[in-house]
Amino acid sequence: MATEKSQVYHERQRLQFCLLHSLNSLFQQKDAFSRASLNAISERLALDGSNSGTTTWTPLSVLFKPHHNSLTGNYDINVLIGALEEKGKSVVWHDRRNTASSIDLDVPEDILMGIVINVSVRRFAGIWKSRHWIALRKIDGVWYNLDSDLAAPQRFRDAQEVREFLDFTIGHGGEVLLVMNGKQS
């Protein structure tokens, strides 16, 4: 956790490891998660799927795993949830039929750790379409956009600006996930 004298921790984008960068930025720790730990979660999820008889092996299965791409990352929601649960966190999927005003951004940080959003992105002049993970976190009473595509963390003016950002995200097909400290009933 940052203090007034320290910097807000922020990782920059590499390949498609935005989930890794988002998690480390969310936890404000360089090695809260590693590529190896996320790959292990993905492999465990794949084994669970193959034991249920729902996974079919193909030659491309070496690179394109059910929950990530083994070369570039690109982890899915299942890996996010598994990683957060390993750290005692839970995920509440925001109902996109509601505006961001239904999210209590002023709840204490010991209840709401932060927000992870998943947005559609186009790269390489629009040729490559994929999804991108972004973490938002309240640090020392200030909300930050910790998007790994940004050169530095972006400070929000206030909770209203965060809500406007989230409403824009929802309006453009993004998903909003609340990261809660502890298990939610």
Side-chain angles (χ1 to χ4, degrees), residues 12 17 23 25 30 32 39 51 53-54 57 61 66 91 93 98 129-130 132 138 140 155 163 172:
R12 292 294 317 273
F17 291 107
L23 286 168
S25 294
K30 180 181 183 199
N39 286 350
N51 289 340
T54 59
W57 189 89
S61 298
V91 175
W93 209 300
N98 299 323
K129 184 180 176 187
S130 66
H132 181 66
K138 189 176 186 180
D140 294 331
R155 181 183 176 137
R163 286 184 188 95
H172 286 84

PDB file of all heavy atoms in Angstrom, residues 12 17 23 25 30 32 39 51 53-54 57 61 66 91 93 98 129-130 132 138 140 155 163 172:
ATOM      1  N   ARG A  12       3.862  -1.738 -16.294  1.00  0.00           N
ATOM      2  CA  ARG A  12       3.622  -1.421 -17.708  1.00  0.00           C
ATOM      3  C   ARG A  12       3.357  -2.699 -18.508  1.00  0.00           C
ATOM      4  O   ARG A  12       3.854  -3.769 -18.180  1.00  0.00           O
ATOM      5  CB  ARG A  12       4.836  -0.694 -18.305  1.00  0.00           C
ATOM      6  CG  ARG A  12       5.091   0.704 -17.764  1.00  0.00           C
ATOM      7  CD  ARG A  12       4.008   1.718 -18.110  1.00  0.00           C
ATOM      8  NE  ARG A  12       3.517   1.661 -19.459  1.00  0.00           N
ATOM      9  CZ  ARG A  12       4.049   2.294 -20.502  1.00  0.00           C
ATOM     10  NH1 ARG A  12       5.080   3.072 -20.342  1.00  0.00           N
ATOM     11  NH2 ARG A  12       3.524   2.171 -21.705  1.00  0.00           N
ATOM     12  N   PHE A  17       0.122  -9.776 -21.006  1.00  0.00           N
ATOM     13  CA  PHE A  17       0.146 -10.105 -19.586  1.00  0.00           C
ATOM     14  C   PHE A  17      -0.572  -9.044 -18.757  1.00  0.00           C
ATOM     15  O   PHE A  17      -0.216  -8.785 -17.606  1.00  0.00           O
ATOM     16  CB  PHE A  17       1.587 -10.294 -19.101  1.00  0.00           C
ATOM     17  CG  PHE A  17       2.229 -11.528 -19.664  1.00  0.00           C
ATOM     18  CD1 PHE A  17       3.207 -11.433 -20.638  1.00  0.00           C
ATOM     19  CD2 PHE A  17       1.832 -12.785 -19.244  1.00  0.00           C
ATOM     20  CE1 PHE A  17       3.786 -12.567 -21.174  1.00  0.00           C
ATOM     21  CE2 PHE A  17       2.403 -13.927 -19.778  1.00  0.00           C
ATOM     22  CZ  PHE A  17       3.391 -13.819 -20.750  1.00  0.00           C
ATOM     23  N   LEU A  23      -3.151  -7.411 -11.569  1.00  0.00           N
ATOM     24  CA  LEU A  23      -3.144  -8.010 -10.231  1.00  0.00           C
ATOM     25  C   LEU A  23      -2.023  -7.443  -9.376  1.00  0.00           C
ATOM     26  O   LEU A  23      -2.236  -7.091  -8.214  1.00  0.00           O
ATOM     27  CB  LEU A  23      -3.036  -9.535 -10.327  1.00  0.00           C
ATOM     28  CG  LEU A  23      -4.303 -10.254 -10.772  1.00  0.00           C
ATOM     29  CD1 LEU A  23      -4.000 -11.701 -11.122  1.00  0.00           C
ATOM     30  CD2 LEU A  23      -5.383 -10.171  -9.714  1.00  0.00           C
ATOM     31  N   SER A  25      -0.516  -4.572  -9.715  1.00  0.00           N
ATOM     32  CA  SER A  25      -0.845  -3.172  -9.419  1.00  0.00           C
ATOM     33  C   SER A  25      -1.960  -3.087  -8.377  1.00  0.00           C
ATOM     34  O   SER A  25      -1.921  -2.242  -7.484  1.00  0.00           O
ATOM     35  CB  SER A  25      -1.247  -2.435 -10.700  1.00  0.00           C
ATOM     36  OG  SER A  25      -0.140  -2.332 -11.576  1.00  0.00           O
ATOM     37  N   LYS A  30       5.196  -5.857  -6.543  1.00  0.00           N
ATOM     38  CA  LYS A  30       5.796  -6.310  -7.788  1.00  0.00           C
ATOM     39  C   LYS A  30       5.549  -7.795  -8.048  1.00  0.00           C
ATOM     40  O   LYS A  30       5.255  -8.190  -9.163  1.00  0.00           O
ATOM     41  CB  LYS A  30       7.293  -6.024  -7.792  1.00  0.00           C
ATOM     42  CG  LYS A  30       7.962  -6.467  -9.054  1.00  0.00           C
ATOM     43  CD  LYS A  30       9.443  -6.206  -9.050  1.00  0.00           C
ATOM     44  CE  LYS A  30       9.981  -6.629 -10.402  1.00  0.00           C
ATOM     45  NZ  LYS A  30      11.387  -6.839 -10.407  1.00  0.00           N
ATOM     46  N   ALA A  32       3.325  -9.933  -6.347  1.00  0.00           N
ATOM     47  CA  ALA A  32       2.145 -10.536  -5.735  1.00  0.00           C
ATOM     48  C   ALA A  32       1.768 -11.792  -6.520  1.00  0.00           C
ATOM     49  O   ALA A  32       1.384 -12.813  -5.955  1.00  0.00           O
ATOM     50  CB  ALA A  32       0.976  -9.545  -5.712  1.00  0.00           C
ATOM     51  N   ASN A  39       0.120 -19.205 -14.655  1.00  0.00           N
ATOM     52  CA  ASN A  39       0.116 -20.395 -15.511  1.00  0.00           C
ATOM     53  C   ASN A  39      -0.296 -21.629 -14.709  1.00  0.00           C
ATOM     54  O   ASN A  39      -1.026 -22.483 -15.207  1.00  0.00           O
ATOM     55  CB  ASN A  39       1.488 -20.618 -16.140  1.00  0.00           C
ATOM     56  CG  ASN A  39       1.799 -19.637 -17.249  1.00  0.00           C
ATOM     57  OD1 ASN A  39       0.934 -18.889 -17.705  1.00  0.00           O
ATOM     58  ND2 ASN A  39       3.047 -19.612 -17.669  1.00  0.00           N
ATOM     59  N   ASN A  51     -10.916 -33.337 -16.484  1.00  0.00           N
ATOM     60  CA  ASN A  51     -11.469 -34.420 -15.656  1.00  0.00           C
ATOM     61  C   ASN A  51     -12.982 -34.510 -15.812  1.00  0.00           C
ATOM     62  O   ASN A  51     -13.566 -35.561 -15.582  1.00  0.00           O
ATOM     63  CB  ASN A  51     -11.106 -34.213 -14.184  1.00  0.00           C
ATOM     64  CG  ASN A  51      -9.636 -34.458 -13.932  1.00  0.00           C
ATOM     65  OD1 ASN A  51      -8.969 -35.121 -14.720  1.00  0.00           O
ATOM     66  ND2 ASN A  51      -9.124 -33.892 -12.853  1.00  0.00           N
ATOM     67  N   GLY A  53     -14.378 -34.096 -18.664  1.00  0.00           N
ATOM     68  CA  GLY A  53     -14.629 -34.555 -20.026  1.00  0.00           C
ATOM     69  C   GLY A  53     -15.030 -33.467 -20.991  1.00  0.00           C
ATOM     70  O   GLY A  53     -15.516 -33.753 -22.076  1.00  0.00           O
ATOM     71  N   THR A  54     -14.794 -32.187 -20.652  1.00  0.00           N
ATOM     72  CA  THR A  54     -15.211 -31.094 -21.528  1.00  0.00           C
ATOM     73  C   THR A  54     -14.084 -30.541 -22.389  1.00  0.00           C
ATOM     74  O   THR A  54     -14.318 -29.685 -23.207  1.00  0.00           O
ATOM     75  CB  THR A  54     -15.797 -29.931 -20.697  1.00  0.00           C
ATOM     76  OG1 THR A  54     -14.795 -29.470 -19.788  1.00  0.00           O
ATOM     77  CG2 THR A  54     -17.044 -30.368 -19.947  1.00  0.00           C
ATOM     78  N   TRP A  57      -8.200 -32.245 -26.849  1.00  0.00           N
ATOM     79  CA  TRP A  57      -6.835 -31.884 -27.209  1.00  0.00           C
ATOM     80  C   TRP A  57      -6.708 -31.765 -28.713  1.00  0.00           C
ATOM     81  O   TRP A  57      -7.247 -32.574 -29.470  1.00  0.00           O
ATOM     82  CB  TRP A  57      -5.843 -32.928 -26.700  1.00  0.00           C
ATOM     83  CG  TRP A  57      -4.429 -32.472 -26.873  1.00  0.00           C
ATOM     84  CD1 TRP A  57      -3.704 -31.758 -25.981  1.00  0.00           C
ATOM     85  CD2 TRP A  57      -3.590 -32.676 -28.015  1.00  0.00           C
ATOM     86  NE1 TRP A  57      -2.461 -31.492 -26.483  1.00  0.00           N
ATOM     87  CE2 TRP A  57      -2.359 -32.045 -27.753  1.00  0.00           C
ATOM     88  CE3 TRP A  57      -3.747 -33.309 -29.239  1.00  0.00           C
ATOM     89  CZ2 TRP A  57      -1.301 -32.043 -28.647  1.00  0.00           C
ATOM     90  CZ3 TRP A  57      -2.690 -33.295 -30.133  1.00  0.00           C
ATOM     91  CH2 TRP A  57      -1.480 -32.669 -29.832  1.00  0.00           C
ATOM     92  N   SER A  61      -3.302 -27.035 -28.881  1.00  0.00           N
ATOM     93  CA  SER A  61      -3.476 -26.998 -27.428  1.00  0.00           C
ATOM     94  C   SER A  61      -2.166 -26.732 -26.695  1.00  0.00           C
ATOM     95  O   SER A  61      -2.170 -26.319 -25.546  1.00  0.00           O
ATOM     96  CB  SER A  61      -4.068 -28.314 -26.917  1.00  0.00           C
ATOM     97  OG  SER A  61      -5.340 -28.530 -27.462  1.00  0.00           O
ATOM     98  N   PRO A  66      -6.823 -23.676 -22.472  1.00  0.00           N
ATOM     99  CA  PRO A  66      -8.219 -23.255 -22.279  1.00  0.00           C
ATOM    100  C   PRO A  66      -8.364 -21.900 -21.582  1.00  0.00           C
ATOM    101  O   PRO A  66      -9.306 -21.181 -21.842  1.00  0.00           O
ATOM    102  CB  PRO A  66      -8.804 -24.373 -21.405  1.00  0.00           C
ATOM    103  CG  PRO A  66      -7.926 -25.545 -21.619  1.00  0.00           C
ATOM    104  CD  PRO A  66      -6.563 -24.998 -21.914  1.00  0.00           C
ATOM    105  N   VAL A  91     -14.719 -12.018  -5.860  1.00  0.00           N
ATOM    106  CA  VAL A  91     -15.093 -11.155  -6.976  1.00  0.00           C
ATOM    107  C   VAL A  91     -16.606 -11.063  -7.035  1.00  0.00           C
ATOM    108  O   VAL A  91     -17.304 -12.077  -6.972  1.00  0.00           O
ATOM    109  CB  VAL A  91     -14.555 -11.710  -8.319  1.00  0.00           C
ATOM    110  CG1 VAL A  91     -15.053 -10.892  -9.491  1.00  0.00           C
ATOM    111  CG2 VAL A  91     -13.032 -11.750  -8.308  1.00  0.00           C
ATOM    112  N   TRP A  93     -19.379  -9.635  -9.605  1.00  0.00           N
ATOM    113  CA  TRP A  93     -19.582  -9.144 -10.963  1.00  0.00           C
ATOM    114  C   TRP A  93     -20.654  -8.054 -10.911  1.00  0.00           C
ATOM    115  O   TRP A  93     -21.769  -8.309 -10.475  1.00  0.00           O
ATOM    116  CB  TRP A  93     -20.044 -10.291 -11.853  1.00  0.00           C
ATOM    117  CG  TRP A  93     -19.645 -10.162 -13.279  1.00  0.00           C
ATOM    118  CD1 TRP A  93     -19.973  -9.156 -14.134  1.00  0.00           C
ATOM    119  CD2 TRP A  93     -18.855 -11.074 -14.032  1.00  0.00           C
ATOM    120  NE1 TRP A  93     -19.442  -9.384 -15.368  1.00  0.00           N
ATOM    121  CE2 TRP A  93     -18.743 -10.562 -15.331  1.00  0.00           C
ATOM    122  CE3 TRP A  93     -18.236 -12.276 -13.737  1.00  0.00           C
ATOM    123  CZ2 TRP A  93     -18.041 -11.205 -16.340  1.00  0.00           C
ATOM    124  CZ3 TRP A  93     -17.542 -12.913 -14.730  1.00  0.00           C
ATOM    125  CH2 TRP A  93     -17.437 -12.378 -16.015  1.00  0.00           C
ATOM    126  N   ASN A  98     -27.175  -1.913 -14.284  1.00  0.00           N
ATOM    127  CA  ASN A  98     -27.125  -0.794 -13.344  1.00  0.00           C
ATOM    128  C   ASN A  98     -25.963   0.128 -13.688  1.00  0.00           C
ATOM    129  O   ASN A  98     -24.931  -0.322 -14.186  1.00  0.00           O
ATOM    130  CB  ASN A  98     -26.927  -1.306 -11.912  1.00  0.00           C
ATOM    131  CG  ASN A  98     -28.064  -2.188 -11.470  1.00  0.00           C
ATOM    132  OD1 ASN A  98     -29.221  -1.948 -11.800  1.00  0.00           O
ATOM    133  ND2 ASN A  98     -27.749  -3.232 -10.726  1.00  0.00           N
ATOM    134  N   LYS A 129      -8.006  -7.915 -32.434  1.00  0.00           N
ATOM    135  CA  LYS A 129      -9.020  -7.601 -31.426  1.00  0.00           C
ATOM    136  C   LYS A 129      -8.861  -8.563 -30.261  1.00  0.00           C
ATOM    137  O   LYS A 129      -8.764  -9.774 -30.453  1.00  0.00           O
ATOM    138  CB  LYS A 129     -10.422  -7.721 -32.020  1.00  0.00           C
ATOM    139  CG  LYS A 129     -11.510  -7.323 -31.056  1.00  0.00           C
ATOM    140  CD  LYS A 129     -12.883  -7.457 -31.683  1.00  0.00           C
ATOM    141  CE  LYS A 129     -13.948  -7.140 -30.643  1.00  0.00           C
ATOM    142  NZ  LYS A 129     -15.285  -7.406 -31.122  1.00  0.00           N
ATOM    143  N   SER A 130      -8.816  -8.002 -29.067  1.00  0.00           N
ATOM    144  CA  SER A 130      -8.712  -8.852 -27.878  1.00  0.00           C
ATOM    145  C   SER A 130      -9.330  -8.119 -26.689  1.00  0.00           C
ATOM    146  O   SER A 130      -9.975  -7.084 -26.852  1.00  0.00           O
ATOM    147  CB  SER A 130      -7.246  -9.222 -27.599  1.00  0.00           C
ATOM    148  OG  SER A 130      -6.500  -8.081 -27.246  1.00  0.00           O
ATOM    149  N   HIS A 132      -8.688  -6.595 -22.581  1.00  0.00           N
ATOM    150  CA  HIS A 132      -7.628  -6.000 -21.766  1.00  0.00           C
ATOM    151  C   HIS A 132      -8.127  -5.833 -20.335  1.00  0.00           C
ATOM    152  O   HIS A 132      -9.245  -5.371 -20.110  1.00  0.00           O
ATOM    153  CB  HIS A 132      -7.237  -4.648 -22.376  1.00  0.00           C
ATOM    154  CG  HIS A 132      -6.152  -3.927 -21.660  1.00  0.00           C
ATOM    155  ND1 HIS A 132      -4.864  -4.403 -21.587  1.00  0.00           N
ATOM    156  CD2 HIS A 132      -6.161  -2.743 -20.984  1.00  0.00           C
ATOM    157  CE1 HIS A 132      -4.130  -3.538 -20.900  1.00  0.00           C
ATOM    158  NE2 HIS A 132      -4.892  -2.528 -20.517  1.00  0.00           N
ATOM    159  N   LYS A 138      -8.241   2.383  -4.757  1.00  0.00           N
ATOM    160  CA  LYS A 138      -8.224   3.541  -3.865  1.00  0.00           C
ATOM    161  C   LYS A 138      -7.019   3.387  -2.941  1.00  0.00           C
ATOM    162  O   LYS A 138      -6.910   2.410  -2.200  1.00  0.00           O
ATOM    163  CB  LYS A 138      -9.518   3.596  -3.054  1.00  0.00           C
ATOM    164  CG  LYS A 138      -9.717   4.854  -2.268  1.00  0.00           C
ATOM    165  CD  LYS A 138     -11.089   4.788  -1.599  1.00  0.00           C
ATOM    166  CE  LYS A 138     -11.454   6.053  -0.891  1.00  0.00           C
ATOM    167  NZ  LYS A 138     -12.788   5.931  -0.260  1.00  0.00           N
ATOM    168  N   ASP A 140      -4.672   5.479  -0.149  1.00  0.00           N
ATOM    169  CA  ASP A 140      -4.614   6.650   0.733  1.00  0.00           C
ATOM    170  C   ASP A 140      -5.751   7.621   0.438  1.00  0.00           C
ATOM    171  O   ASP A 140      -5.556   8.837   0.384  1.00  0.00           O
ATOM    172  CB  ASP A 140      -3.260   7.352   0.625  1.00  0.00           C
ATOM    173  CG  ASP A 140      -2.108   6.495   1.139  1.00  0.00           C
ATOM    174  OD1 ASP A 140      -2.358   5.663   2.046  1.00  0.00           O
ATOM    175  OD2 ASP A 140      -0.989   6.639   0.642  1.00  0.00           O
ATOM    176  N   ARG A 155      -4.527   9.473 -11.669  1.00  0.00           N
ATOM    177  CA  ARG A 155      -5.299   9.813 -10.482  1.00  0.00           C
ATOM    178  C   ARG A 155      -6.664  10.354 -10.902  1.00  0.00           C
ATOM    179  O   ARG A 155      -6.764  11.202 -11.779  1.00  0.00           O
ATOM    180  CB  ARG A 155      -4.529  10.877  -9.693  1.00  0.00           C
ATOM    181  CG  ARG A 155      -5.181  11.318  -8.446  1.00  0.00           C
ATOM    182  CD  ARG A 155      -4.350  12.426  -7.800  1.00  0.00           C
ATOM    183  NE  ARG A 155      -5.041  12.906  -6.630  1.00  0.00           N
ATOM    184  CZ  ARG A 155      -4.469  13.160  -5.481  1.00  0.00           C
ATOM    185  NH1 ARG A 155      -3.166  13.026  -5.356  1.00  0.00           N
ATOM    186  NH2 ARG A 155      -5.170  13.575  -4.463  1.00  0.00           N
ATOM    187  N   ARG A 163     -16.913   6.927 -11.247  1.00  0.00           N
ATOM    188  CA  ARG A 163     -18.223   6.439 -11.720  1.00  0.00           C
ATOM    189  C   ARG A 163     -18.429   6.757 -13.201  1.00  0.00           C
ATOM    190  O   ARG A 163     -18.931   5.913 -13.958  1.00  0.00           O
ATOM    191  CB  ARG A 163     -19.342   7.047 -10.883  1.00  0.00           C
ATOM    192  CG  ARG A 163     -19.452   6.444  -9.507  1.00  0.00           C
ATOM    193  CD  ARG A 163     -20.643   6.996  -8.717  1.00  0.00           C
ATOM    194  NE  ARG A 163     -20.584   6.521  -7.354  1.00  0.00           N
ATOM    195  CZ  ARG A 163     -20.034   7.207  -6.357  1.00  0.00           C
ATOM    196  NH1 ARG A 163     -19.551   8.415  -6.547  1.00  0.00           N
ATOM    197  NH2 ARG A 163     -19.996   6.680  -5.145  1.00  0.00           N
ATOM    198  N   HIS A 172     -19.499   0.799 -23.309  1.00  0.00           N
ATOM    199  CA  HIS A 172     -18.727   0.321 -24.456  1.00  0.00           C
ATOM    200  C   HIS A 172     -18.407  -1.170 -24.354  1.00  0.00           C
ATOM    201  O   HIS A 172     -17.431  -1.653 -24.930  1.00  0.00           O
ATOM    202  CB  HIS A 172     -17.446   1.149 -24.607  1.00  0.00           C
ATOM    203  CG  HIS A 172     -17.717   2.516 -25.141  1.00  0.00           C
ATOM    204  ND1 HIS A 172     -18.108   3.569 -24.336  1.00  0.00           N
ATOM    205  CD2 HIS A 172     -17.702   2.995 -26.409  1.00  0.00           C
ATOM    206  CE1 HIS A 172     -18.303   4.632 -25.077  1.00  0.00           C
ATOM    207  NE2 HIS A 172     -18.071   4.317 -26.337  1.00  0.00           N
TER     208      HIS A 172
END
